[in-house]
Amino acid sequence: MATDPLVDIAWQLYDLPPARFTAERNARAKEVKGENPGLAERIGELRRASAAAWIVGQLVRHRAERLGQVLELGAELREAQQDLDAATLAQLTRDRRALTAALAREGAALAETQDVRATPAVLDEVAQTLQAAMADPGAADAVTSGRLIRSLEVVGFDPVDLTDAVAGPAPDGSPPRAPQVDEVAQRRARRAAERAVREAERRLERAEGRLGDARRDVSAHETRQREAGRRRDDLRAALAEAEDELAQLTDETDDLAAQLEAAQHDEAEAREALEAARRELES
């Protein structure tokens, strides 16, 4: 299908600094008027882009790869919202803010190379427009057309208002665009794998902590076990010594008992002899 010639002309015109747009637009309209009056009229109807829209157009032309990252992240963010994946949604939201802010600053730097000053308010509009492109595929098409003439804004969950936002024909969906489904799937799979790695790392950390505790417990119990073994051996040695002493004392006690019995016998005989002697004396 043939491309509308206005698309190429508009692409070239909206690459110019806004201050040069009107004069160059009129010159191009005059240039083609003789051979194509209709096209000349359509060129003349093109409106100058706002500062924020022009900066977004500069990003489309000169930072296409970075802009593609923004739109790819937007597609992932929409999928995360649909899937109610809270963890991914929170991470993607942080990534979105950081990436759009960084890209807006890059846009300001591009504008400065062409002596166009971007105020903080204009940069806020650039960031809002990038966020709108992330939230709405239609807004992404409007941005990547390179013919955006006003900033875009997300309002709640409503589709982004694109009325009079693009100069010339409606965007035809040509690249660069939101990433293909397989690219999104790859990014989602990678994020899922990264989450799995982080969870596995946390599990490993907890397991290593438990292992360290268990090793310390085992070491402490082994020390106590060795001390108890030494005390047992000392007690066994003391018991053996006491048993030997007891056996010796038992033998000695038996000997002493025999001696006591003999002494008692001798004492009884002596007592009887004494009594007999006394009786003899008295008679």
Side-chain angles (χ1 to χ4, degrees), residues 23 25 63 71 80 88 91 98 100 111 120 127 140-141 145 150 176 192 200 204 213 234 236 238-239 249 257 266:
R25 176 200 63 191
R63 295 292 184 273
L71 298 180
T88 301
Q91 182 61 49
T100 55
D141 286 340
S145 71
R150 67 169 177 84
L204 176 59
D213 292 341
D234 292 342
R236 283 178 175 174
L239 176 61
L249 290 171
D266 290 343

Side-chain angles (χ1 to χ4, degrees), residues 143-217:
V143 163
T144 57
S145 71
R147 294 179 278 116
L148 194 69
I149 58 175
R150 67 169 177 84
S151 60
L152 305 177
E153 184 179 5
V154 178
V155 179
F157 293 99
D158 296 332
V160 175
D161 180 12
L162 299 177
T163 305
D164 297 327
V166 179
D172 59 4
S174 58
R177 287 293 177 252
Q180 298 299 315
V181 175
D182 61 340
E183 294 175 351
V184 174
Q186 290 173 3
R187 286 284 296 271
R188 293 187 67 197
R190 178 175 178 79
R191 289 185 182 278
E194 289 172 348
R195 286 197 303 273
V197 168
R198 289 194 295 271
E199 177 59 26
E201 288 174 343
R202 287 192 291 268
R203 290 177 58 191
L204 176 59
E205 183 177 356
R206 292 193 296 268
E208 287 177 339
R210 291 193 297 270
L211 177 60
D213 292 341
R215 283 175 172 167
R216 285 189 292 272
D217 290 343

Side-chain angles (χ1 to χ4, degrees), residues 56-187:
V56 171
Q58 291 299 295
L59 292 172
V60 172
R61 290 166 174 80
H62 306 293
R63 295 292 184 273
E65 182 176 355
R66 292 276 287 150
L67 182 61
Q69 293 174 356
V70 170
L71 298 180
E72 183 176 353
L73 185 61
E76 290 185 72
L77 186 57
R78 291 194 298 273
E79 288 198 5
Q81 289 171 329
Q82 292 171 359
D83 295 343
L84 299 179
D85 186 341
T88 301
L89 183 60
Q91 182 61 49
L92 291 176
T93 299
R94 290 191 292 270
D95 292 347
R96 177 189 65 184
R97 291 172 183 165
L99 195 55
T100 55
L103 199 54
R105 290 192 295 270
E106 290 188 34
L110 286 172
E112 190 174 353
T113 63
Q114 300 197 54
D115 297 324
V116 177
R117 181 174 174 272
T119 66
V122 167
L123 290 184
D124 285 343
E125 289 186 37
V126 172
Q128 286 180 358
T129 299
L130 294 175
Q131 291 183 27
M134 295 174 72
D136 187 324
D141 286 340
V143 163
T144 57
S145 71
R147 294 179 278 116
L148 194 69
I149 58 175
R150 67 169 177 84
S151 60
L152 305 177
E153 184 179 5
V154 178
V155 179
F157 293 99
D158 296 332
V160 175
D161 180 12
L162 299 177
T163 305
D164 297 327
V166 179
D172 59 4
S174 58
R177 287 293 177 252
Q180 298 299 315
V181 175
D182 61 340
E183 294 175 351
V184 174
Q186 290 173 3
R187 286 284 296 271

Side-chain angles (χ1 to χ4, degrees), residues 15 26 31 36 41 53 73 80 82 97 153 158 184 207 227 230:
D15 190 28
N26 293 341
E31 180 183 332
N36 194 334
E41 182 178 357
L73 185 61
Q82 292 171 359
R97 291 172 183 165
E153 184 179 5
D158 296 332
V184 174
E227 292 175 350
R230 283 194 294 269

